[in-house]
Each structure stands twice: as structure tokens, then as C-alpha cells.
Amino acid sequence: MATVEQQPPETHNGLAHSDGDIPVENPATGEIVATVPDLGADAVADMARRGRAVQPDWEAHGFDGRARVLLRAQKWLMDNSEQVIATIVSETGKTFEDASLAEISYAGNAFGFWAKQAPEYLADERVKSGQLLVKGKKLILRYRPLGLIGVIGPWNYPLTNSFGDCIPALAAGNSVILKPSEITPLTSMLMAEGLRECGLPEDVLQIATGRGETGAELVEHVDMIMFTGSTATGRKVAEAAARRLIPASLELGGKDPMIVLSDADLERAANFATYYSMQNAGQTCISIERAYVEEPVYDEFVAKVSEKVRALRVGVPHGPGSVEVGAITFPPQLKTIEDHVSDALDRGAHVLAGGHAMQSGGGRFYEPTVLVDVDHTMKIMTEETFGPTLPIMKVADSEEAVRLANDSPYGLGSSVFTRDTERGEQIARRLQTGAANVNDAMINYTVLELPMGGAKASGLGSRHGAGGIRKYTSQQAIVVTPRLALKSEPHMYPYKKRKSRLLASLFKFLYGRGKRD
Ligand code: NDP
């Protein structure tokens, strides 16, 4: 029986006014685990006012002051990891391991990384110039926090993808309003409480619980929007940001291809195909969503993957080691998965493992599924499925594999398996994706030093690396002329014939000498 734990709106962000409540369901059990307020336009405007009011003080904490809070939060997360994992599992229905490996470890690393790297990535840069008019002047490139950042996140990784993007925004000296998915708001709320305990001043990070309308309202109030979610919603956010002339960073959907060449270590390739298509029940933007395998090793690869996938246990996660594949978090996603599988079967595909939705303990699940005899007339090969499915297609050679891998509106991640790593790297360079892994998959996401972003319809901008924090700042160019300077400079009034001719000759001398092709 469902238990409803009423949480009055006053307990969240101190906001009394909301447009009703949103129940939060555990997708693995069907239980309602909490309710959160559905914040309306007034509440979002109020939060924006409060976020702006406290931002200058947070900026004035400096890198060291902000790093102290972030490093305390890193320790807090490790001390409270069981509670955070339980919260993630309760609202996503994912396994303990998917929460621990892909969320806790990510955020633990990210707190330390941004605390350490923010001062380096955002340090003032002294610039040298060949421009004659600025000889002797001091030239500085400075990164200034934008002010109030809006972060909108999806439901598949409430800690990594919703909350995770707040960390560099805060490290840069901004205040932040985070709008988590209405499906998974509890982790963000818990993290905000944790940060307050660690000394983050009131209102520097606020959580705007609500539905899509709350997210749309947020875009109307902030100085920059960091959005992670579907390509369809991303377009709407980009349009709203363009109207307001604010920057938007968009991390969107994917349909990541895996290429297996005939010289690959097949056991490794099969293990990676199984893990990175089924991990988090396939609900990862950079899941392996389709595989292309060279003809000579196709049968052996398919046999290995099918056997491994059939061995996976699916169901309600009851702590560590209980199941490999958890629930389907977002109710409509189950329909999409069923639709893609039945469309493929109608067009001639065959199922070698799984192929059905499962009801277990009141929750929503889909059997880990392997499909063969697939092609690009099928949705399962061309649209984002976002479920525990792996369609495997036979290809004649690497050329056909590259052509099919690039035959997609998406371009998030990709992987190539071969023992010839030089050839693998050459193929990786030809894939139209924001990241490409050779003999690995998805691992690039954990490397915070590398940019993570999508090509084509998978996004604009990136997270991680220097660009992943500089996007939360505006660049300011500062030019300082020393105290002992001329009263006037040669290019200024009055304009005189002789001086103008001299300057024209000087330009010719500087830019017109030498031979050209
Ligand atoms: P959605 O696009 O449906 O929602 C994302 C967020 O946007 C949610 O918080 C949603 O609120 C909110 N939202 C909905 N409508 C609007 C609007 N008009 N204006 C502003 N915000 C709005 O995505 P999902 O939550 O379904 O997430 C799954 C998608 O995210 C997949 O496509 C996946 O590939 C992608 N993703 C991409 C990643 C990347 O790094 N590239 C990482 C993780 C996921 P609500 O939920 O309350 O409706």
C-alpha cells in the first residue's frame, strides 16, 4: 500500500506559495515516497530576487572561501552516502550500484575537482599583443561570474546530471537555482540541505521543484541556463534563451553507436556492450544504443552478448548485489521502449533475449533485450530508446560501420573496439560525436578534465574541462595604461596630412611587406 509522507511547502526553500503538490513515486515499487511543491511563477520570481541578493557576498568569498564549502560538502557526501543513495534509489528505482558508481563517485570527485580547478581555470590571464597602440599597457582577460544561473535537469541521474552542474557554477561565484525533474526532486533537495550544513549561505543554492512550466519560468529570470534533457525540450529552452539574449548550454539526447571490428578482443567488447547498454537500465544519455559488428565476428559476438544479457537479474533493488537492472524511472519511457521493440519486430527483427515489459512488486521494468536482424528503417536504430535494449547489426566492413554510425541526427558519444589502437583512433576521429572511446565506452564522462558535450542534435556547449566552468562567467577585457603616459597619442586629433601619411606608411610596413602566394 502506498504511504504518503506529506511535506509542507514551507520546508523547501522557505517558500509558502505553490501551485499544489507533486507526488514522488518509487518506480520500482509504485509507492509514493514524498510530495513536493509545484512552484508557480511568483515563487520562481521570488527565488530569483533572493538568489541575486546573496550572489555578491558569495562572489566575495573568493576561490578559497568557496572551495572550503565545496570540500566540506565532499566530506558530507561521503559521510552521508548511504542516505543519498537511498534517496536516489527511492525516486529512480535504480540499483544501489548504479547510484553509487555513477552518482556518488561522480559528485565526490566533482566537489574536489572544481574546488581545486576553479582558481586555475578562472585565473586572470595576462595577455601579450602585437598591436602597436597598446605597447606598454597591461592587458588582462578576466572571468567574471554571470550572477544567477539556472540549472534544469533530467530524471535519469538526479545527483550527477541535475545537481552536478551546480558545482562549477557555484565554484565560479554564482548563485544557482536548480529545477530538478518533477519525477526525481528529492536528491537535489537533500543535497541543498547538505550544502547548507557545510556553510553555503542561505539562498546561494535554491531548489525550484515543479513541472516543465516551472523550468520554463526559470529561464525567464536567470543570467544563463544550463539545461540537460531531451532534444525537444532543449530546443524550447534555446528559443526562450535566445529571446532573452542569455547564454544557454544544452546537453541533450543521444543514440550512441558501438563499432566492433573483426580484430577486437571479443570477450572485452561483449562485456562492454552488455554493461554499457544495460547499466542504469539503459537510461543514460551515453548508453550504447546500437552496435555494428564486422561480419567475420558477428555470430560469436552476438552469442556472447546474448548469453551475458540473459544472465542479468532485473527487479526491485534491495541493497547492494541484489539485481543488475533496476526500474524504468519515467512512466512514459516504458511505452517508448515497447514501441521501438515492436516496431523492430514488425519490420523483421528478432529477439535473442528479453523483449517484454515486466511488472514486479508494483514497479515498472523492462527485460534486458538483445535484437538482431535490425536496420535503419527501424526506430530502435535511429531514435533514442533510453531503455535496456541492444540492437546489433551486421556490417561488411569498417566503412559501412562508420557510415551507419554517422547516419543519425544525434552525436553524443561512440565507441570502437579493435586491437589495432591506431586504426581505432583514426575511426574515432571520423565519428561525428562529442566523445569517442577506443576499446571503452562512456568512460570519458568521468574525466572531468575533458569536455563532455554533444555534436549535432545532442547539444550545444559542454560540461567539464576549462569550458565547463568558463561558461558560467562572462569574459572581461581590461586594459591598463601606466601612470606615466603621453598626454595624447599619435593617432588622435588633430588629423594632419603628414601624420596621416606617416601612419599609412607604417601600416603598409607592418602588414604589407613580403611575398604571398
Ligand atoms: P526532458 O527534456 O523531458 O526534461 C528535462 C527537464 O526539463 C526536466 O526538469 C523537465 O521538467 C524540464 N522541462 C520540461 N519542459 C520544459 C520547458 N518548456 N522549459 C524548461 N524546462 C522544461 O528530459 P527527461 O527528463 O525526459 O530526460 C531524458 C533526456 O535527457 C534524454 O533525452 C537523455 O538523453 C537526456 N540526457 C542528456 C544528457 C547529456 O549529458 N547530454 C545527460 C542525461 C540525460 P519535468 O521533468 O518536471 O517535466
Side-chain angles (χ1 to χ4, degrees):
M1 201 182 72
T3 52
V4 180
E5 186 186 304
Q6 277 293 346
Q7 301 196 4
E10 287 80 4
T11 57
H12 311 305
N13 309 306
L15 284 168
H17 40 302
S18 78
D19 293 351
D21 288 335
I22 300 173
V24 181
E25 180 207 29
N26 181 335
T29 62
E31 252 189 324
I32 303 297
V33 292
T35 59
V36 298
D38 183 9
L39 297 182
D42 290 351
V44 175
D46 186 35
M47 287 174 123
R49 265 190 300 277
R50 295 201 279 163
R52 284 190 191 288
V54 296
Q55 187 271 331
D57 174 60
W58 178 238
E59 183 180 350
H61 274 58
F63 288 117
D64 287 350
R66 296 195 292 271
R68 266 197 294 280
V69 174
L70 296 180
L71 292 174
R72 271 186 235 132
Q74 185 182 41
K75 175 84 167 55
W76 180 93
L77 179 62
M78 293 305 116
D79 291 346
N80 293 277
S81 59
E82 281 180 18
Q83 189 192 355
V84 179
I85 289 174
T87 304
I88 295 172
V89 171
S90 79
E91 61 183 349
T92 60
K94 67 174 69 183
T95 64
F96 176 94
E97 286 78 5
D98 286 339
S100 171
L101 293 169
E103 304 230 53
I104 299 291
S105 76
Y106 175 87
N109 185 21
F111 276 124
F113 177 81
W114 292 115
K116 178 164 173 277
Q117 289 303 126
E120 189 177 307
Y121 287 151
L122 301 182
D124 281 2
E125 292 174 24
R126 284 294 292 271
V127 173
K128 286 199 169 67
S129 170
Q131 161 64 279
L132 268 188
L133 292 178
V134 296
K135 285 285 170 238
K137 297 179 199 262
K138 185 173 168 188
L139 310 177
I140 302 163
L141 166 55
R142 176 220 172 182
Y143 298 96
R144 175 163 57 187
L146 279 164
L148 178 63
I149 306 296
V151 176
I152 299 178
W155 45 260
N156 60 339
Y157 286 98
L159 181 56
T160 299
N161 278 328
S162 287
F163 180 80
D165 288 312
C166 300
I167 304 173
L170 291 169
N174 298 286
S175 51
V176 177
I177 301 177
L178 165 60
K179 198 316 246 171
S181 168
E182 74 195 60
I183 306 292
T184 55
L186 304 179
T187 306
S188 299
M189 291 161 68
L190 177 60
M191 290 306 296
E193 248 173 69
L195 275 170
R196 264 197 300 276
E197 273 178 41
C198 296
L200 187 74
E202 200 64 30
D203 293 336
V204 170
L205 172 68
Q206 301 175 84
I207 310 300
T209 55
R211 304 182 203 275
E213 293 76 15
T214 308
E217 187 59 30
L218 181 60
V219 181
E220 300 302 321
H221 292 276
V222 292
D223 300 313
M224 184 268 180
I225 192 79
M226 167 66 221
F227 174 84
T228 306
S230 63
T231 298
T233 312
R235 283 189 212 280
K236 291 186 199 163
V237 169
E239 281 168 16
R243 251 194 326 274
R244 293 200 56 232
L245 280 181
I246 59 163
S249 187
L250 307 169
E251 298 289 340
L252 309 177
K255 187 74 190 170
D256 287 10
M258 173 194 204
I259 295 175
V260 182
L261 302 184
S262 45
D263 69 341
D265 176 341
L266 276 200
E267 185 59 22
R268 181 175 172 90
N271 280 327
F272 275 62
T274 304
Y275 184 68
Y276 286 112
S277 61
M278 305 298 159
Q279 174 269 352
N280 213 44
Q283 303 160 109
T284 302
C285 52
I286 46 175
S287 287
I288 294 177
E289 284 243 343
R290 50 195 172 121
Y292 303 97
V293 185
E294 279 190 324
E295 198 270 328
V297 293
Y298 175 82
D299 288 341
E300 193 183 343
F301 178 80
V302 165
K304 279 181 185 287
V305 171
S306 304
E307 191 188 334
K308 290 174 197 294
V309 169
R310 276 188 223 111
L312 299 176
R313 296 163 299 163
V314 195
V316 184
H318 291 297
S322 55
V323 285
E324 278 85 31
V325 180
I328 301 303
T329 304
F330 184 46
Q333 203 62 42
L334 198 57
K335 286 259 164 304
T336 304
I337 302 166
E338 286 182 308
D339 174 46
H340 287 195
V341 172
S342 71
D343 169 74
L345 297 181
D346 287 349
R347 292 169 190 274
H350 292 98
V351 165
L352 296 187
H356 305 100
M358 276 172 59
Q359 300 295 324
S360 163
R364 260 187 318 276
F365 300 88
Y366 198 89
E367 293 170 350
T369 296
V370 176
L371 289 155
V372 291
D373 301 323
V374 290
D375 62 40
H376 279 217
T377 64
M378 301 169 185
K379 293 180 194 174
I380 200 124
M381 293 300 281
T382 54
E383 296 179 19
E384 189 177 41
T385 308
F386 226 54
T389 53
L390 182 62
I392 309 176
M393 184 170 172
K394 189 190 291 181
V395 291
D397 53 26
S398 63
E399 285 307 305
E400 188 184 9
V402 169
R403 183 176 60 74
L404 289 168
N406 287 336
D407 177 27
S408 171
Y410 293 112
L412 202 51
S414 56
S415 53
V416 186
F417 282 74
T418 169
R419 283 198 172 88
D420 182 346
T421 52
E422 247 176 60
R423 186 164 169 237
E425 193 183 320
Q426 279 163 15
I427 289 175
R429 286 171 186 271
R430 293 174 60 198
L431 296 173
Q432 297 159 355
T433 53
N437 296 282
V438 177
N439 294 324
D440 213 318
M442 228 193 259
I443 198 70
N444 61 285
Y445 200 106
T446 65
V447 187
L448 301 187
E449 293 80 357
L450 276 176
M452 188 276 161
K456 302 197 275 189
S458 289
L460 277 180
S462 58
R463 54 165 69 92
H464 304 162
I469 189 164
R470 288 180 183 160
K471 70 185 181 186
Y472 296 122
T473 66
S474 62
Q475 295 183 6
Q476 188 182 31
I478 301 178
V479 178
V480 182
T481 302
R483 196 156 45 96
L484 291 175
L486 298 171
K487 300 290 177 214
S488 174
E489 304 215 357
H491 59 285
M492 295 169 67
Y493 298 139
Y495 288 162
K496 288 190 176 161
K497 204 187 237 176
R498 191 161 166 269
K499 191 172 79 174
S500 299
R501 282 194 176 142
L502 249 169
L503 283 174
S505 306
L506 178 64
F507 297 150
K508 280 191 181 150
F509 175 75
L510 289 174
Y511 312 125
R513 278 178 304 154
K515 283 200 179 133
R516 313 285 152 97
D517 287 343

